[in-house]
Amino acid sequence: MGRGKKLTDHEQGQILAYNNTGMPQKEIARALQRSLKCINNFLKDFEKYQKKNPGGRPQVLSDRDRRQIYRMASQGVWSANEIKTQLELDASVSTITRALHSNEIFKYVKPNTGPQLTQKHRDKRVEWVTKFVDFGADNWHRTIFSDEKKWNLDGPDGLKCYWHDTRKEKREFFSRQNGGGSVMVWGGFWANGTTDICFTTGNQCAQDYVYTLSEYLLPTAHLHFGTDFYFQQDNAAIHTAGETTEFFKEQLIHKIDWPSKSPDLNPIENVWGYLTRRVYAAGKQYNSKEDLKKAILREWKAVPRDYLKKLVDSMKIRCLKVYKADGKTIDY
């Protein structure tokens, strides 16, 4: 039988008080719901009892160790292994990890990713969200958000993970040079629909971009909005070139000026994320560009309209979050 739980300081004080009144040990045990042996051992030499280690396995980490671990972890730059090394702790990495998991203020998560922002970038972002925070749902619903994206045959960039059934052989993910080849796409969407996808080739110049907008943006935009719509694009060189700017003026396109390095403000990034999960579901990889294109087209056409509306309706919240974060990148 294992050792019983050590008497708390409060229980020890009660035993001494009862004992001083002449209460029998059997009644003390009954009052505290402790065994008679426990009461007897304590009263035999209570000073020695107080110096004993508590029942069960002794703790590897002291309270001081834990405070130091939490202090380092709160900096957000140290791994459990690095914390062990820096503090020279006589404890395993697993023990340190468990200590962090036991503290509800810490969660093991991936860091937010985003472009590096200077103070000038942050100031411009705050200026922009201040201007557009009250742009209004009606205007946002008439805004077409756009972007380009590269798709690899071998799957999205980054580490591939999956839940492995140990009763089966491990899956193999093949990896070819440069992702096995890739395709570039341009696309746009608004609160209730999408433009046609454009598969671009080679290095695009301003003339190529103007052609893409002429053939894939304008037909859809004019069909649904006439000329009463707004257009969003980032600040890529071909987007801001003189030829492109002149095209916007000629076509009476109301272009929304966009703050640099702000993909977190563009809801089409969420659409790309949704498509990525669908196109590469279950670790899917492709043998040819044509197969990959077919998958992208299929999933692009199937994006739920209520999802698109939800993303567009998030613009006010995004603006408020960026303002609250003083221009820093937000998680959205």
Side-chain angles (χ1 to χ4, degrees):
M1 182 179 294
R3 181 181 299 175
K5 186 178 179 181
K6 184 180 178 182
L7 293 166
T8 66
D9 292 342
H10 179 67
E11 288 175 321
Q12 293 175 33
Q14 285 182 304
I15 294 171
L16 292 175
Y18 287 144
N19 187 63
N20 288 337
T21 65
M23 179 184 290
Q25 291 185 16
K26 184 179 292 187
E27 293 186 17
I28 296 176
R30 187 181 299 111
L32 271 65
Q33 296 184 341
R34 288 284 195 165
S35 69
L36 179 59
K37 183 178 180 180
C38 174
I39 304 301
N40 183 262
N41 287 339
F42 173 74
L43 289 174
K44 279 181 181 179
D45 192 344
F46 63 85
E47 291 184 353
K48 183 178 179 181
Y49 181 92
Q50 291 174 330
K51 296 179 181 179
K52 291 181 181 178
N53 289 328
R57 182 182 299 176
Q59 291 190 356
V60 177
L61 298 173
S62 66
D63 290 342
R64 180 173 180 273
D65 291 337
R66 288 176 179 272
R67 287 195 298 271
Q68 289 182 311
I69 290 171
Y70 297 153
R71 190 177 300 117
M72 286 194 68
S74 67
Q75 298 175 27
V77 296
W78 304 102
S79 67
N81 187 49
E82 290 169 332
I83 290 174
K84 169 183 167 65
T85 302
Q86 291 292 324
L87 297 179
E88 299 181 351
L89 295 173
D90 187 20
S92 68
V93 174
S94 296
T95 297
I96 295 170
T97 301
R98 284 195 298 272
L100 290 168
H101 278 305
S102 68
N103 190 327
E104 63 181 12
I105 71 172
F106 294 107
K107 289 184 179 180
Y108 193 62
V109 299
K110 291 182 179 180
N112 292 336
T113 58
Q116 185 176 10
L117 299 175
T118 65
Q119 187 59 52
K120 184 177 180 180
H121 290 134
R122 290 170 56 184
D123 291 342
K124 288 292 185 181
R125 280 161 57 83
V126 170
E127 180 182 336
W128 189 89
V129 299
T130 301
K131 176 181 178 181
F132 283 94
V133 67
D134 291 322
F135 193 51
D138 183 60
N139 286 330
W140 285 127
H141 283 198
R142 290 185 291 110
T143 299
I144 299 177
F145 298 88
S146 71
D147 195 17
E148 292 91 0
K149 180 175 174 57
K150 184 179 80 168
W151 301 78
N152 297 323
L153 293 177
D154 285 354
D157 295 330
L159 183 64
K160 300 179 179 70
C161 301
Y162 75 104
W163 289 105
H164 173 57
D165 185 337
T166 57
R167 298 169 298 179
K168 303 177 181 179
E169 291 187 5
K170 286 187 176 180
R171 288 189 58 189
E172 292 186 357
F173 291 95
F174 58 85
S175 179
R176 295 165 290 195
Q177 187 175 9
N178 299 322
S182 61
V183 297
M184 286 292 299
V185 304
W186 175 93
F189 88 98
W190 68 98
N192 193 40
T194 59
T195 68
D196 288 336
I197 278 280
C198 175
F199 292 97
T200 62
T201 58
N203 294 324
Q204 297 287 289
C205 64
Q207 184 177 2
D208 297 322
Y209 184 58
V210 167
Y211 173 81
T212 297
L213 297 182
S214 298
E215 297 297 317
Y216 293 88
L217 168 69
L218 292 185
T220 301
H222 291 163
L223 175 64
H224 293 276
F225 304 105
T227 58
D228 189 19
F229 69 96
Y230 296 92
F231 178 64
Q232 178 278 336
Q233 62 176 7
D234 61 24
N235 295 312
I238 61 173
H239 296 176
T240 58
E243 186 173 348
T244 307
T245 301
E246 188 62 29
F247 171 77
F248 288 140
K249 291 180 180 178
E250 291 175 356
Q251 299 297 325
L252 303 177
I253 297 175
H254 306 294
K255 184 175 69 71
I256 295 178
D257 291 329
W258 200 252
S260 299
K261 299 188 176 183
S262 297
D264 53 339
L265 283 170
N266 191 351
I268 201 171
E269 296 294 339
N270 300 89
V271 177
W272 292 145
Y274 174 87
L275 286 182
T276 298
R277 293 189 293 273
R278 304 281 294 184
V279 170
Y280 299 117
K284 176 69 175 178
Q285 295 175 292
Y286 296 88
N287 293 319
S288 70
K289 292 183 179 180
E290 287 306 312
D291 288 342
L292 176 56
K293 288 180 179 180
K294 289 178 182 178
I296 295 170
L297 281 170
R298 181 180 64 250
E299 299 302 337
W300 177 257
K301 294 177 180 178
V303 178
R305 294 301 183 257
D306 58 343
Y307 177 63
L308 299 179
K309 181 178 182 300
K310 180 180 178 181
L311 291 177
V312 173
D313 287 340
S314 73
M315 286 306 299
K316 185 178 181 71
I317 298 174
R318 292 174 194 250
C319 289
L320 291 172
K321 281 192 171 186
V322 169
Y323 184 84
K324 186 176 181 180
D326 193 26
K328 294 180 181 177
T329 300
I330 59 171
D331 181 18
Y332 215 102

